[in-house]
Amino acid sequence: MTRYHLMRAITLASTLAIASIANAQEADTFVFQLEWVPTGEHAPYYAGAAKGFFKEQGIDISFVRGNGGSDAANRIGAGNSPLGISTMTPVMVGRSTQDLPITAVASIYTEAPQAVLVLESSGIGSLGELAGKRVATTAGNEHVDYLKEVSKKADLDFDSIEWVVVDPTALGPMLLSKQVDGATMLALHQFYQDKAAAAIGEKVKALRYSDYGFNVYSQLIAANDAVIRDNPDLVRRTVAALEKSFIWSNENQSEACDLFVAQQPEVTHEDCVGSLSAAMTFVFNDHFEQHGFGAFNPDLLKYTWEVTAEIADINPASWDPANSSTAEFLP
């Protein structure tokens, strides 16, 4: 038995007791902020809601789409949603330079999932070959900032890229119609983009940032600081429900996608499973086995801040990256 599973066994009785108390009270109702258009990677959230894991914690939850990590961070920081999904770069930059009232309360992707997707027919086989090309991205998307850092290792003339800012739903269609040469997406989106490409005789290739030695904290659960201060129990119960949702969804991926597709019918079950399967590799990995669900390793947190500070032209010594997150609400 791993340390993580041992600790979960020890705390199970306490978790059930808290859930019983929450159920006896009136449910907390709130809208959870997504960072993107709902796809298979979001199946754990929707499946958890459908399975009643949030209701067990006294929470009536719904979801709203986002337009990238920065957009989500700003919305959570503004209090539009008490909690939601964001990414580490806007959380760190927002807190260190703008006093954005948002804190990471659980890590989700503990390996860097960022990539640029290209068509194999384009002849682009590496990130370095994106020089002078048109690449689609979305507003407030940290893929661009990260690529600037990766370009140093990828022999890429970053400044020569022509960026085309579009709505998230346009990334795939613009790539497949060859209006752009590449599109910034998570590597896990390759599955359903490749499926769409096959229908027109094309194949998609993912140019992963991690293949160039780039690895930072990425997707996470963030909370508004006022909510952390005034209603910490809501944050704790939400994290507990999310942990159960992710573990169940990882072990029951097909059923999780059944529940997701029932709520998001524009996504096919096959696409959901392909995306969810890829996403879970960024969650359930060595980091999970060593530190448990939602944890932040100080060394990786420090490196993530060093990369972020360089990208944002911030003196890394001017701020402590430990201020970006808290372990207070973890199991």
Side-chain angles (χ1 to χ4, degrees):
M1 178 180 286
T2 66
R3 177 182 180 275
Y4 170 77
H5 290 97
L6 177 62
M7 293 303 296
R8 290 304 295 134
I10 293 173
T11 59
L12 178 59
S14 175
T15 300
L16 291 175
I18 293 172
S20 297
I21 293 172
N23 279 329
Q25 301 171 344
E26 184 177 351
D28 287 297
T29 301
F30 74 90
V31 179
F32 184 91
Q33 177 69 54
L34 302 181
E35 89 300 3
W36 201 248
V37 176
T39 64
E41 68 178 295
H42 298 103
Y45 303 91
Y46 287 82
K51 291 288 289 183
F53 298 153
F54 292 93
K55 287 190 180 299
E56 289 175 359
Q57 296 291 340
I59 297 169
D60 185 3
I61 197 168
S62 59
F63 307 97
V64 62
R65 62 159 279 182
N67 289 291
S70 293
D71 172 71
N74 288 331
R75 289 175 180 271
I76 297 167
N80 293 349
S81 292
L83 294 100
I85 307 171
S86 186
T87 47
M88 187 54 86
T89 292
V91 171
M92 285 183 161
V93 172
R95 284 189 64 85
S96 64
T97 66
Q98 305 165 23
D99 292 325
L100 186 68
I102 181 174
T103 299
V105 296
S107 64
I108 300 297
Y109 290 169
T110 56
E111 296 179 3
Q114 289 80 13
V116 175
L117 301 192
V118 299
L119 297 178
E120 287 195 353
S121 63
S122 70
I124 301 172
S126 69
L127 289 175
E129 294 172 6
L130 291 174
K133 304 297 185 181
R134 284 167 53 85
V135 179
T137 191
T138 60
N141 191 328
E142 79 279 358
H143 286 67
V144 176
D145 293 328
Y146 284 172
L147 185 58
K148 186 175 183 179
E149 178 67 18
V150 178
S151 67
K152 301 171 184 177
K153 299 180 179 181
D155 192 26
L156 167 64
D157 181 0
F158 176 84
D159 292 334
S160 71
I161 295 176
E162 180 183 348
W163 293 104
V164 182
V165 180
V166 300
D167 184 83
T169 59
L171 289 171
M174 291 194 71
L175 176 64
L176 298 181
S177 63
K178 301 184 180 181
Q179 297 179 63
V180 293
D181 302 295
T184 61
M185 298 188 202
L186 300 183
L188 55 91
H189 293 165
Q190 180 182 4
F191 174 83
Y192 60 85
Q193 294 297 338
D194 199 36
K195 180 183 175 183
I200 57 173
E202 294 281 358
K203 188 171 179 60
V204 171
K205 179 180 179 65
L207 307 177
R208 297 173 178 244
Y209 295 6
S210 59
D211 289 343
Y212 295 83
F214 182 78
N215 195 37
V216 295
Y217 279 118
S218 181
Q219 191 181 100
L220 51 81
I221 304 302
N224 181 280
D225 286 351
V227 176
I228 291 175
R229 181 190 67 239
D230 299 334
N231 197 354
D233 187 56
L234 173 63
V235 180
R236 184 173 293 104
R237 287 183 283 121
T238 301
V239 172
L242 287 170
E243 180 194 23
K244 188 172 183 178
S245 298
F246 268 86
I247 291 175
W248 182 88
S249 296
N250 184 51
E251 296 172 348
N252 303 275
Q253 294 186 13
S254 182
E255 186 178 349
C257 282
D258 285 337
L259 297 172
F260 173 76
V261 171
Q263 300 169 77
Q264 298 292 324
E266 65 275 13
V267 180
T268 69
H269 184 271
E270 181 183 9
D271 287 350
C272 176
V273 171
S275 183
L276 176 60
S277 177
M280 292 299 93
T281 66
F282 296 109
V283 181
F284 297 99
N285 47 30
D286 289 343
H287 187 286
F288 171 80
E289 292 297 332
Q290 293 174 19
H291 306 289
F293 178 84
F296 291 98
N297 173 269
D299 292 336
L300 185 54
L301 197 63
K302 180 175 180 291
Y303 174 70
T304 302
W305 168 240
E306 290 171 350
V307 170
T308 300
E310 183 171 355
I311 289 171
D313 195 25
I314 301 171
N315 177 2
S318 66
W319 189 72
D320 185 354
N323 292 328
S324 64
S325 63
T326 177
E328 176 182 356
F329 307 105
L330 297 178

